Amino acid sequence: MKKSESEQITHFRTANPSSVRDVNRSIVLSLIRLHEPLSRAALSEKTGIFRSNISSIVDDLIETRLVREERATPNGRGRVPYLLSLRDDTYRVAAVSIRPITTSVACSGLTARPQKVLQFKTPAHPKDAVTQIASAVRQLKAEIGMGSKKDFGRIGVSVPGLVNAHTGEVLWIPALPDYAEFPLRQELEQQTGVKIEIDNDCNLGALADMRLRQVDMGGVKDFVFLEIGDIGVGAGLILNGELYRGHDARFVAEFGHMIVDPDGPKCRCGRRGCWELYVCDRATWRRFRPSASFSEESVERVIAASLNGEKSAIKALRQTARYLAIGISNIVLALNPQVIVVAGRIMESWDQLRPFVETEFAPSQIPIHILPARMAPEPLFLQGALSLALHDVFAQPALGW
Ligand SMILES: [Zn+2]
């Protein structure tokens, strides 16, 4: 039924003096995160907000113990300024990265720098995982000396498969089949008493890479993150500085399942000739040693052999580069992102792959900017889960409807 106009109007949230202040507060906090340490004067200059208003916001951030202000080290010239930085010892969050073999649990303050990381073997059943995660969270609290009255503000969780980010239900994890349809967020909230945010690992990899890149590149706002893994390709999509999750937050950017050969081998998704079958580490290894079994070191061995000038290794990498170029050019034609960020072991040979990939692009004249991710996938996913847990602290309040 169509809503009446007056009903629709109640769905607007318009700016009033208090919400404008909330927006300015989140802008100031985000700028401190990006440029710390910096002075009140620099904040005023960057935002165009009057000094007196900046001071009132900063005083509030200091009072709520999110920010500290300290005298800079004197350098013998001029007045010594007072500089603002984020506090890492007051508001704390935790993060969980579930991987097929190992699960990591970490905690951080506002800077998202991990302060402590615990690891355990990932249980085959999700109920056991919840019990072990809750126990690791308690252990973290004890080890960093959080009092019994304090708790983590949020816990961010990275899942290596499809998850509904709105409901927190796991949909499908290829490596952990028993996790399908498990209400992970609900169970973890019950066990830990802390609000849980859950997302797919590559979405969080994209988020973490964007945060790490913002610091020294002035911000990359539209990019695609790809993880070339052992048997698959994961991806995350950042549009206008925000993670894009698809209309119902169930899946997005499943570029690994773009079909590049409809008559190709069967994929685990049920279709044939998906891109990931041609660029994953196992595919690179098979080209090099068709009958030898694949292990974690396989890609390193191909790279080492190619550096030694072994022709079959160079050929194998070149073939992977060709398929990388095919898939990435499809993505670029569809989305025209600023950058494609690629993570995974194969990127250790990026200097060798790069000319091959660029040769494949050359005829199309498509300008493509590919960068290796700032970290290996495992620490990146954990970092992304910390960023997810901190998201609401820095997020601007929503205005409009
Ligand atoms: Zn597929």
Side-chain angles (χ1 to χ4, degrees):
M1 201 174 75
K2 197 175 182 301
K3 286 177 183 156
S4 74
E5 207 166 292
S6 62
E7 273 177 314
Q8 285 180 22
I9 284 170
T10 60
H11 287 78
F12 282 90
R13 192 182 158 206
T14 49
N16 55 44
S18 141
S19 56
V20 167
R21 190 183 153 88
D22 287 348
V23 170
N24 285 342
R25 185 179 186 273
S26 81
I27 291 172
V28 166
L29 196 57
S30 297
L31 281 171
I32 296 172
R33 168 166 69 166
L34 212 53
H35 301 286
E36 64 174 358
L38 86 171
S39 66
R40 294 179 187 224
L43 274 174
S44 176
E45 204 174 292
K46 282 182 190 298
T47 56
I49 301 172
F50 285 125
R51 269 296 290 273
S52 56
N53 290 344
I54 285 285
S55 276
S56 133
I57 293 168
V58 165
D59 289 346
D60 179 49
L61 291 172
I62 292 171
E63 201 176 316
T64 49
R65 294 162 43 96
L66 295 177
V67 164
R68 65 161 53 90
E69 189 170 43
E70 286 169 330
R71 208 156 180 247
T73 319
N75 61 5
R77 282 177 281 125
R79 209 157 60 99
V80 181
Y82 280 84
L83 299 177
L84 301 157
S85 56
L86 295 180
R87 287 189 68 152
D88 236 358
D89 56 345
T90 47
Y91 183 81
R92 281 199 173 92
V93 294
V96 180
S97 175
I98 300 171
R99 307 298 306 151
I101 313 261
T102 307
T103 292
S104 306
V105 185
C107 63
S108 83
L110 285 174
T111 61
R113 282 190 279 272
Q115 292 168 338
K116 190 103 201 163
V117 183
L118 302 174
Q119 290 189 317
F120 54 87
K121 189 174 177 300
T122 303
H125 197 273
K127 278 258 182 203
D128 299 331
V130 168
T131 308
Q132 291 203 40
I133 290 167
S135 149
V137 167
R138 283 193 295 274
Q139 194 184 331
L140 276 180
K141 275 181 67 178
E143 288 192 15
I144 60 167
M146 273 172 87
S148 57
K149 283 185 190 152
K150 288 190 103 183
D151 222 327
F152 292 116
R154 288 271 196 287
I155 301 176
V157 182
S158 162
V159 171
L162 297 186
V163 56
N164 186 325
H166 287 164
T167 64
E169 185 194 7
V170 174
L171 304 172
W172 180 53
I173 303 181
L176 299 163
D178 285 354
Y179 285 53
E181 294 175 26
F182 184 75
L184 187 57
R185 179 165 79 195
Q186 195 186 323
E187 296 278 334
L188 277 173
E189 283 183 349
Q190 272 169 15
Q191 288 279 325
T192 61
V194 180
K195 192 162 170 30
I196 305 284
E197 304 282 353
I198 295 187
D199 215 323
N200 163 268
D201 54 1
C202 284
N203 282 354
L204 297 178
L207 195 64
D209 202 272
M210 177 178 67
R211 294 264 171 269
L212 294 166
R213 227 166 267 283
Q214 266 176 343
V215 176
D216 58 3
M217 276 185 48
V220 174
K221 288 196 152 188
D222 294 281
F223 77 94
V224 173
F225 170 84
L226 295 173
E227 188 234 348
I228 312 295
D230 290 354
I231 57 166
V233 174
L237 190 53
I238 300 280
L239 297 179
N240 199 22
E242 293 286 336
L243 197 54
Y244 181 70
R245 292 187 168 96
H247 80 97
D248 59 0
R250 289 163 64 88
F251 70 91
V252 74
E254 288 293 334
F255 300 121
H257 299 285
M258 293 186 296
I259 291 174
V260 293
D261 179 3
D263 300 318
K266 195 146 192 205
C267 177
R268 56 195 168 137
C269 74
R271 307 195 304 166
R272 284 189 177 277
C274 292
W275 183 45
E276 67 177 26
L277 299 171
Y278 300 83
V279 292
C280 68
D281 290 349
R282 200 179 282 257
T284 304
W285 175 248
R286 276 214 192 110
R287 288 183 191 114
F288 177 57
R289 292 277 183 268
S291 50
S293 60
F294 176 82
S295 74
E296 277 200 0
E297 293 82 41
S298 294
V299 169
E300 279 87 344
R301 285 178 59 191
V302 185
I303 295 169
S306 81
L307 285 171
N308 279 334
E310 215 173 301
K311 285 215 171 69
S312 58
I314 296 169
K315 203 174 155 201
L317 280 179
R318 183 162 199 150
Q319 194 69 350
T320 299
R322 178 168 179 240
Y323 279 106
L324 266 178
I326 289 171
I328 289 175
S329 60
N330 286 343
I331 296 168
V332 169
L333 285 168
L335 296 168
N336 187 18
Q338 279 169 287
V339 187
I340 302 268
V341 173
V342 187
R345 292 196 197 96
I346 194 85
M347 291 310 278
E348 284 161 32
S349 66
W350 179 233
D351 288 345
Q352 291 157 270
L353 285 175
R354 185 186 203 134
F356 299 154
V357 173
E358 283 171 355
T359 308
E360 292 296 329
F361 283 141
S364 65
Q365 309 264 310
I366 308 168
I368 293 177
H369 196 30
I370 301 172
L371 291 173
R374 302 302 296 261
M375 287 181 178
E378 311 283 322
L380 199 63
F381 297 150
L382 190 61
Q383 192 65 50
L386 285 171
S387 294
L388 179 69
L390 284 165
H391 189 261
D392 74 305
V393 180
F394 296 96
Q396 290 184 21
L399 297 175
W401 71 97

